[in-house]
Each structure stands twice: as C-alpha cells, then as structure tokens.
Amino acid sequence: MCGIIGYIGERKAQPILLNALRRLEYRGYDSCGIAVSSSSIEVYKDAVRVGELVKALPQFDGTIGIGHTRWATHGEPSQVNAHPHYDCTGNIAVVHNGIINNFQRLRQQLINEGHTFVSETDTEVIPHLIEKYYQGSLEDAVEAALGDIEGSYAITVLMAGEPKLVAARKDSPLIIGIGDRENFIASDVPAILEYTNRVIYLEDGDIVVVTPHSLKVRTGGTEVEREEHKISWSIEEAQKGGYEHFMLKEIHEQPKVIRDTLAGYVSEAESVFDLAVMRDDGVESMLILACGTSYHAALVGKYIIEELLRIPVRAELASEFNYYAQTLAKTGAIVITQSGETADTLKAIKRLKEVGCLTLAIINVVGSTASRIADQTIYTRAGPEISVAATKSFMAQLVVLYWLVMSHSKVDARRLASMLLGLRQMPSKVQQVLDNEDKISEVARYLSRYEDVFFIGRGINFPLALEGALKLKEISYIHAEGYAAGELKHGPFALLSGDTPVIAIVTQDNTYEAMLTNIKEIKARGSPVIALAGEGDEAIRELADSVITVPRVNAIFSPMVNIVALQLLAYYTAKERDCSIDTPRNLAKSVTVE
Ligand code: F6R
C-alpha cells in the first residue's frame, strides 16, 4: 500500500531517500515525506507527489533518515496526516504501513496520560507509545510499544542522537538491503535496487536494529538469523527504459515474459507441480482465489482446467471467500497474487490452511508473504511490475496456469506436444498485437470521448471482458463494465444508446455465432460496436463500426492475444485523456488492507 524507505550509512540520507521514494511512489502517492536525523530530527512532509516534495524540500545534512509515500486509510491526504509522524518531543519519528485496529483506544489512553496528537492517523500512536516506553533503549521501547498494538504494521523508527534505525513487521512486507558500510530498510525491492541487490526479508514478529555496519534481528525476545537473498532483477528492469510510462513498457515486455516464464518451467526436468497430486490426495474439486486482475486470471484458469482436465473448478474473489461459510471438503486450492501481499488473499490462504486445504500459490514477487504461508509456490517470471495497473503479471499468471494444466501427469504426450507448440508461438502472436499499436491508438482516440463503455465476451473470453473494463476504468476514469455477452439483454440493455460504445471480444470458437447475434442486438439499440476479432473475419467487418484485428490462435490461447489489445486500448485512451497512467488516482499497487 504505502512505501517505506530507511537509510543509514556514510552518505547524506536525503538524496537516497528521495530517489527511493520516486521508485516507491507506485505503492501510494497521495502524500509523502522524509525525516533526517543529525543532533535533532528534521521532518518535511506534505500532501504532494514526490516530484513536488523534492522542489520544496530544504537541505538536510544527516546520514540517517526515513521516508514514506502514503495511500490514505485513516485521515484524508494532508500535510499533518502525511508520514513521518513524531512524538511530543519531536525526537522520535516513525513511518508506518498497515492499520492499527485499536488506535482509538490507545490514542485516548495516551491523551489521558498527557500526550498531544496533531493528526487523524492511526500511525501517530506509535511514536507516542515509543516515547512513553523509552528508558534508554530504542529497540526495547519499540518492542514494548508494539506489544500494545493490534493490527498490521511495517515500521521504521528514527530517534535523535541514536546512530541506528529500528524496524519491525507484522502482516506487512519489509526488507533490509545490505550495502557496503550502509544499510537500507524498504517496503519493496525497487526502492533499493540501485544501491544493493542483497536483501533480507523480515518475518512477522521481527524487530531489527540496523546500523551502517550491522543488523540484529530479534523475534519474541530472541536473536535470530535471517537468510540473505540475491535479487536477480537488474535496475534497468525496474526503470522505464525509454518508454513514456511503466505501463507501456510492461505491456511491451509480454513476449519476453511468456518466454521467460515458459523457459523457467518447461526446462525443469520434473514438472514444478502436478495438479494430479491434488487428485491423488483425494481432492475432487478445485478452488482458485484471487483479487482484481489476478481474479480474472483465476477465471481463465477455471475455463482451461475444466476444459482440458474435466476437474470441477470454482474461481472466487478472496475478499468474498473470507466472509461466508464454505464447503471445502476434498478441495485443492490455488491462490493467485502478483504482489503476494494482498491482505484479502493472505487472509484466504490462512483460512484454507486452517481447514487443511492443500494450497498452491502463483506469485510474482519472490519472498513475499504469500510465498511463506502457502504450502507450495510457483513464481511467475514477469519481473518487477511497477505500473499500478497489472499487465504483464496477468500474462505470466496465464502462462503458469496453462503450464499447470499441460504438466498434469494425466495429459497425454500428443496433447502436451501440441499445446506446448501453441504456447511457444504465443510470444510472436503477442508481438503481432503490439505491432498493431497505431490502429489501437486510433480506436482509443475515438473511445476517449465517451464516459460509459461496455465490454462483452463469452466463454474463456468473458473474464477478458471483465479485465478490459477494469483496465479502462482504473487508468482512464471512464466508467466501464464487463459483461458476459448473453447477460447484456437481462438488464444493461436499458443503458444502450449512441453514447455507450460496446467492445465485443469475438472468438472463433463455439461462442462465435451467439456473439454475432449479440452484436446485431446491440447495434439495433444504437450503440457503436468496436470488435476485437481474429484475422480474416470478414463477417465481423460488416457488423462492427470498428475492428481491432488480432492474430488467429487456438481459442484456448485467445485470452493471451486479446488481453494485449485491451491493455493497449486502455493505455492509449488514458493517454488521450491526459491521465496519470502509472499512478491512477486513489489506487495503490498492492492492497495490504482489507
Ligand atoms: C488492477 C490491479 C489490481 C490487482 C489486485 C490484486 O490492474 O492491479 O486489481 O490485480 O489488487 O493484486 P495482487 O495480484 O498483487 O494480489
């Protein structure tokens, strides 16, 4: 959700903190701030983007500091609500991600004890609690303060005159970056990748004391060792590489993402995970859980698993799954999450574990919380996805889902070979869609004039209608709804007019004829129709007002080409409307609160 950075070393902290905040801005960006310590603590924060903060910021000289980009939960975006927050003396500064559930009670208690609060945030209780418990050891005071807190947190604490940073996590990610005579604390790898690729992932309950030359992790009062990991992404992968936006770069990376993800698994001597394991364990049906775009991948997964393996599959929203009674007997579960930190998805994994469901997680971010709590993890190899709108991670999720189905030990060799061939052709098919960018941007110019748009699809492309609508609404702020094509006449027809274009995803499979009928019905109600259709489809040209052509592929793989066209359509529409594409309003990259 929000982004955290901490620096301690021999260099001036300020430029490093600001650099990191720029890279973290995708995690939350309604306000930001830094605190730097020398003999006292200097804080500067505001309800602005990092670029504006940099322009207004005075020069701080200290070599220890913390910074934060915020995505508001408690209290509107404002200067006082921005982080860092500090205690009454101004000597203790804290940045925090997560939510403190009992903050109202703690706040009242602290006010009764004489503390003065200036913000509406839950975070502000933390520096006051540390102040209350401080008796000469910052880490002991932090530990005591956290003992009072119920909720989730990743925090970093700075205290005037103390040559150290103290950090802690519970249900919110935090890493330590290990440098040469300097160390870093961050909520996410891209923040520190320019300085080091050596990281330690903190675990829930860890409190760490970081100096320029050392770090000590303790958990439950005992000192523990945490394994060091090497990040394999390069800094270039976490930068724009000449593209105007991360989103466009990430869309264009998709042929490579397919190759990398396939290469990672197809070359393995043994399949990474055999879905048959679930069946052999007495599992008779499957459940796929996820949120947002990952949920749309889950829906595609349902189609391909049911179609090819004939196993009953339910795909559900993790946020809903957590709140109703479930029949989970003899069920195997897959969860899909790019970040591995989505609160609803993590909660779902915990619930699955409680009832003894074998849980396989498909995750992009290595070392994320989901990978540590699921029974087994398969990593998508999409690399860092910076733009808030998920694009290449969705593609990589699809590749893993296809591969899971293909590597099922009950799939016969001929079928496996033919599917593998199809999948291996997908990078060049996706490239053909990318090469059609000019035509798609032309359609986007037309679409950008409207305020309401429907997306329709059938069968395996129904989830693509949902995803196309999600992409368009989140980055262009056009109201868009995805529907199963057959459902439009059960209500939404009332909204059709010349002002509501319909984007129809047309596939050459058993849904084709029904789709043409739906398009005719829509045209009869006066709505302009933009069709996404395979090469050589002449019938659709006669019907639709505009056609975006995609290469013909086996229908089972059609989501992989259709999604690229839909992503580009959303991107160019948002660009036409001059929107903040990589950091859309009110959103954040990973949603670590329920
Ligand atoms: C939309 C988008 C979100 C995420 C959702 C789940 O473009 O990015 O809908 O897909 O927040 O996130 P993960 O996959 O990290 O669990």
Side-chain angles (χ1 to χ4, degrees):
M1 227 60 194
C2 312
I4 285 180
I5 177 69
Y7 173 78
I8 184 160
E10 294 174 357
R11 296 191 263 176
K12 280 192 181 168
Q14 182 168 337
I16 294 170
L17 298 177
L18 294 174
N19 215 4
L21 287 186
R22 276 194 208 94
R23 299 198 194 292
L24 282 174
E25 206 167 22
Y26 73 106
R27 292 184 66 95
Y29 33 81
D30 53 43
S31 41
C32 53
I34 65 168
V36 174
S37 164
S38 37
S39 52
S40 63
I41 288 185
E42 295 167 295
V43 179
Y44 193 88
K45 57 184 188 171
D46 208 346
V48 293
R49 302 291 289 254
V50 177
E52 287 158 63
L53 190 88
V54 170
K55 285 188 213 145
L57 196 63
Q59 188 68 38
F60 298 149
D61 289 330
T63 58
I64 314 177
I66 56 178
H68 191 265
T69 57
R70 178 168 186 251
W71 189 87
T73 53
H74 293 82
E76 58 171 16
S78 67
Q79 200 264 337
V80 278
N81 287 337
H83 297 216
H85 288 280
Y86 34 84
D87 66 326
C88 298
T89 64
N91 282 332
I92 298 167
V94 173
V95 286
H96 164 230
N97 290 352
I99 289 191
I100 299 170
N101 300 331
N102 60 340
F103 89 97
Q104 291 286 18
R105 192 170 48 74
L106 291 172
R107 184 183 162 107
Q108 196 49 57
Q109 206 174 300
L110 286 158
I111 290 171
N112 296 345
E113 290 166 12
H115 292 256
T116 310
F117 283 76
V118 294
S119 80
E120 302 156 87
T121 64
D122 52 344
T123 301
E124 202 183 352
V125 298
I126 305 175
H128 286 279
L129 284 171
I130 297 171
E131 177 191 5
K132 170 178 163 178
Y133 288 117
Y134 185 74
Q135 288 182 340
S137 159
L138 180 58
E139 49 274 37
D140 287 350
V142 169
E143 189 161 15
L146 295 177
D148 286 355
I149 285 171
E150 288 161 20
S152 61
Y153 51 78
I155 59 165
T156 303
V157 185
L158 175 69
M159 185 167 180
E162 289 270 10
K164 63 173 97 155
L165 289 171
V166 177
R169 77 155 272 178
K170 181 173 165 275
D171 294 334
S172 191
L174 203 61
I175 60 168
I176 309 296
I178 304 166
D180 181 16
R181 286 170 294 161
E182 59 186 2
N183 285 312
F184 306 82
I185 298 167
S187 49
D188 212 352
V189 172
I192 56 168
L193 204 50
E194 191 175 334
Y195 307 108
T196 181
N197 65 352
R198 296 169 56 202
V199 304
I200 284 176
Y201 296 98
L202 293 183
E203 308 247 335
D204 278 349
D206 284 355
I207 296 178
V208 57
V209 180
V210 183
T211 73
H213 309 281
S214 69
L215 59 97
K216 282 200 174 83
V217 185
R218 69 190 202 195
T219 201
T222 315
E223 205 167 310
V224 287
E225 289 288 322
R226 294 278 175 240
E227 196 188 339
E228 186 182 315
H229 297 261
K230 266 223 157 62
I231 300 296
S232 56
W233 325 328
S234 64
I235 184 68
E236 289 72 34
E237 280 179 277
Q239 286 176 344
K240 279 188 203 153
Y243 286 94
E244 194 176 342
H245 296 98
F246 279 111
M247 182 176 179
L248 191 59
K249 176 185 172 235
E250 288 160 6
I251 292 173
H252 276 264
E253 281 171 350
Q254 291 177 110
K256 179 175 180 301
V257 165
I258 302 171
R259 271 186 225 106
D260 289 352
T261 305
L262 265 182
Y265 296 124
V266 175
S267 61
E268 307 250 350
E270 288 184 23
S271 78
V272 278
F273 187 88
D274 185 353
L275 288 178
V277 169
M278 291 192 167
R279 301 200 83 181
D280 294 345
D281 268 11
V283 166
E284 288 173 4
S285 68
M286 293 185 58
L287 172 64
I288 316 182
L289 294 170
C291 297
T293 291
S294 297
Y295 168 65
H296 299 151
L299 286 171
V300 177
K302 168 187 161 62
Y303 277 91
I304 55 177
I305 297 173
E306 289 202 324
E307 172 73 25
L308 298 171
L309 300 181
R310 304 284 162 188
I311 302 173
V313 184
R314 286 184 287 154
E316 292 187 21
L317 291 163
S319 53
E320 282 300 306
F321 167 81
N322 293 329
Y323 289 99
Y324 66 94
Q326 290 284 336
T327 322
L328 293 169
K330 299 188 178 174
T331 303
I334 297 178
V335 294
I336 307 179
T337 166
Q338 186 283 131
S339 61
E341 303 295 348
T342 301
D344 288 314
T345 308
L346 295 181
K347 190 166 179 177
I349 300 176
K350 287 175 190 158
R351 194 164 173 218
L352 289 165
K353 289 193 75 163
E354 274 162 26
V355 296
C357 260
L358 182 63
T359 306
L360 169 68
I362 300 176
I363 305 172
N364 193 42
V365 177
V366 176
S368 52
T369 307
S371 70
R372 276 181 271 128
I373 60 176
D375 294 308
Q376 189 164 353
T377 296
I378 297 184
Y379 286 113
T380 51
R381 303 196 180 191
E385 188 176 66
I386 307 295
S387 181
V388 164
T391 52
K392 62 177 181 169
S393 61
F394 177 80
M395 182 66 85
Q397 289 164 353
L398 294 190
V399 176
V400 167
L401 287 163
Y402 287 113
W403 177 243
L404 270 182
V405 171
M406 287 156 56
S407 62
H408 188 283
S409 56
K410 300 204 168 106
V411 168
D412 67 64
R414 260 219 342 251
R415 183 166 218 180
L416 174 64
S418 100
M419 281 198 70
L420 196 52
L421 184 69
L423 208 47
R424 284 203 166 118
Q425 287 169 347
M426 292 316 293
S428 70
K429 302 288 182 190
V430 164
Q431 189 57 50
Q432 283 177 46
V433 185
L434 294 169
D435 294 342
N436 198 17
E437 204 166 359
D438 287 349
K439 165 73 186 174
I440 298 173
S441 67
E442 198 182 290
V443 178
R445 256 197 305 282
Y446 162 80
L447 196 65
S448 65
R449 303 199 301 263
Y450 292 93
E451 291 306 327
D452 299 285
V453 177
F454 284 102
F455 286 71
I456 55 168
R458 276 178 178 266
I460 197 167
N461 281 296
F462 161 49
L464 272 281
L466 299 178
E467 178 60 8
L470 178 63
K471 284 291 90 90
L472 188 70
K473 75 183 102 177
E474 71 181 320
I475 62 166
S476 75
Y477 314 144
I478 292 175
H479 168 234
E481 290 193 50
Y483 266 90
E487 281 297 299
L488 221 54
K489 60 171 88 67
H490 297 287
F493 259 31
L495 295 174
L496 294 188
S497 75
D499 293 329
T500 50
V502 177
I503 312 225
I505 307 167
V506 184
T507 318
Q508 297 276 351
D509 59 6
N510 59 343
T511 66
Y512 183 73
E513 294 301 332
M515 198 66 188
L516 294 195
T517 306
N518 294 143
I519 292 174
K520 285 178 199 152
E521 292 161 356
I522 292 161
K523 290 287 306 169
R525 269 94 193 155
S527 287
V529 172
I530 299 166
L532 226 73
E535 284 161 330
D537 186 338
E538 294 309 322
I540 205 73
R541 284 182 196 284
E542 314 246 304
L543 278 180
D545 298 272
S546 178
V547 179
I548 296 173
T549 306
V550 292
R552 266 190 198 234
V553 295
N554 181 330
I556 197 102
F557 295 129
S558 57
M560 294 175 85
V561 287
N562 289 336
I563 188 55
V564 181
L566 294 169
Q567 292 164 348
L568 286 171
L569 190 62
Y571 173 82
Y572 282 106
T573 307
K575 189 157 182 257
E576 199 63 33
R577 290 165 69 101
D578 212 12
C579 296
S580 169
I581 293 181
D582 284 333
T583 48
R585 71 179 175 218
N586 302 336
L587 299 182
K589 184 67 185 163
S590 58
V591 185
T592 54
V593 290
E594 265 186 70

